[in-house]
Amino acid sequence: MNITDNTLLITGGGTGIGRALAEALHARGNRIIITGRREDVLKATAAANPGMAWATLDMEDAAAVAAFGAQVVKDHPALNGVILNAGIMKAEDLKAQPFDFASVEATIATNLLGPIRLTAALLPHLMAQPTATVMTVTSGLAFIPLTATPTYNATKAAIHSWTQSLRHQLADTSVEVLELAPPAVATDIVPGHAENPNSMPLADYTAEVIGLIERGDTPRGEILVERVKPLRFAEVNGYEAVFERLNGAH
C-alpha cells in the first residue's frame, strides 16, 4: 500500500485507532472519508482535520451498508482503499441466565458481517482501480482469546481467516489485501482500556503502524507491531503461558 495519494474510506474513523489512522494518513496527503454511527464524533474529527470527509453508517444494518457502498463510490469516484476498522468489544458471562444474545448478535453483525458486506459492496469498484487496498482490522485476540470477551475474539478470528481467503482470491487483481492486528491499545473500546498500563499508547501504536506500511514491512500481508507478536505467534512460541498471562491460571 502506498502511504500517500490515496482516497481511503475508514470505518469507525471517529474515535480510537480509526481516528488515529485517519489523521495520520490524512497528514500524509491521502483523501480520507470516515464513517461511524455517531455523527457528533465524526463531525468533530473532520473539523479538526480540514478536508476530511465523513458520513454516518451503522455496520449492523445490512441495507444501510449496501446503500452506503453504492453512494460512497459515486461521491468519491477515486476511492481506492478501505480500512475495515469499526468494531465493538463487550465482556460476556457465558454462564449468565438469561443469556445476553443481543450483545452477541450485535458483535457478530458489526465485527464480522459488516466488513464482509461492505467489502462486497465496494469490491467491483476497487477491482477497477489501477491499484487498491482492502485492510481488515483484526486483533491479537484473533490468535489467542481473552476469555472475558468470547464473541469479540471469535469474530476477529473469523475475520483473520476470511482475510486470508480474500487475499488468495484477489491475488490476480489490482487489490492488495492487508490485515492489521493490534495488541491492547489505549482506547475507549471497553471501559478502563485507555487507562490500563498494559495498553500500548495510541500515538506509539499509530506511529509504528504507519512506519511498517511506509516500509512495506507486511509479511504475509499482516501489519504487526512488536507488542502484538507474542499473541500472533503464541501457537508456536508457548501458547499455554501466553493464555495464562491473559486470563489467569485455571
Side-chain angles (χ1 to χ4, degrees):
M1 174 183 172
N2 292 329
I3 200 68
T4 191
D5 200 28
N6 302 291
T7 301
L8 302 172
L9 172 66
I10 303 178
T11 68
T15 59
I17 290 173
R19 175 169 180 166
L21 290 175
E23 291 181 332
L25 291 167
H26 178 73
R28 281 162 177 76
N30 297 284
R31 296 162 295 281
I32 303 295
I33 310 107
I34 55 172
T35 72
R37 291 174 173 151
R38 295 167 51 196
E39 181 175 322
D40 58 336
V41 298
L42 296 172
K43 291 173 79 170
T45 300
N49 299 274
M52 190 179 289
W54 64 273
T56 57
L57 175 63
D58 182 354
M59 291 290 279
E60 285 189 56
D61 186 331
V65 171
F68 177 85
Q71 189 62 48
V72 75
V73 299
K74 291 179 182 177
D75 294 342
H76 304 276
L79 183 76
N80 70 329
V82 58
I83 299 177
L84 299 160
N85 166 76
I88 56 176
M89 181 180 191
K90 296 183 178 181
E92 301 168 63
D93 181 356
L94 299 180
K95 298 180 289 185
Q97 294 296 324
F99 184 70
D100 183 8
F101 281 107
S103 176
V104 170
E105 290 168 2
T107 302
I108 293 171
T110 300
N111 297 6
L112 178 57
L113 296 177
I116 292 172
R117 288 167 174 155
L118 186 54
T119 301
L122 296 177
L123 206 49
H125 173 83
L126 294 176
M127 287 193 297
Q129 306 311 303
T131 60
T133 302
V134 174
M135 184 187 299
T136 59
V137 178
T138 60
S139 171
L141 302 180
F143 307 97
I144 186 166
L146 178 67
T147 61
T149 57
T151 304
Y152 176 85
N153 310 329
T155 59
K156 294 302 184 178
I159 284 291
H160 166 68
S161 178
W162 181 82
T163 301
Q164 291 180 306
S165 297
L166 181 68
R167 184 181 299 117
H168 191 264
Q169 290 196 19
L170 296 183
D172 61 350
T173 76
S174 62
V175 182
E176 180 183 21
V177 178
L178 297 173
E179 176 183 354
L180 177 63
V185 177
T187 71
D188 293 322
I189 189 168
V190 292
H193 207 56
E195 296 76 32
N196 189 327
N198 294 318
S199 295
M200 184 175 184
L202 180 57
D204 293 351
Y205 178 70
T206 307
E208 191 172 346
V209 167
I210 294 297
L212 292 170
I213 295 172
E214 199 160 25
R215 294 193 301 274
D217 189 3
T218 58
R220 302 169 308 280
E222 296 175 2
I223 304 169
L224 304 173
V225 301
E226 288 301 316
R227 287 273 291 263
V228 82
K229 289 180 180 179
L231 303 178
R232 172 62 182 92
F233 302 113
E235 194 66 48
V236 293
N237 292 332
Y239 189 92
E240 292 301 328
V242 178
F243 186 96
E244 187 169 317
R245 283 201 300 274
L246 279 175
N247 301 297
H250 293 293

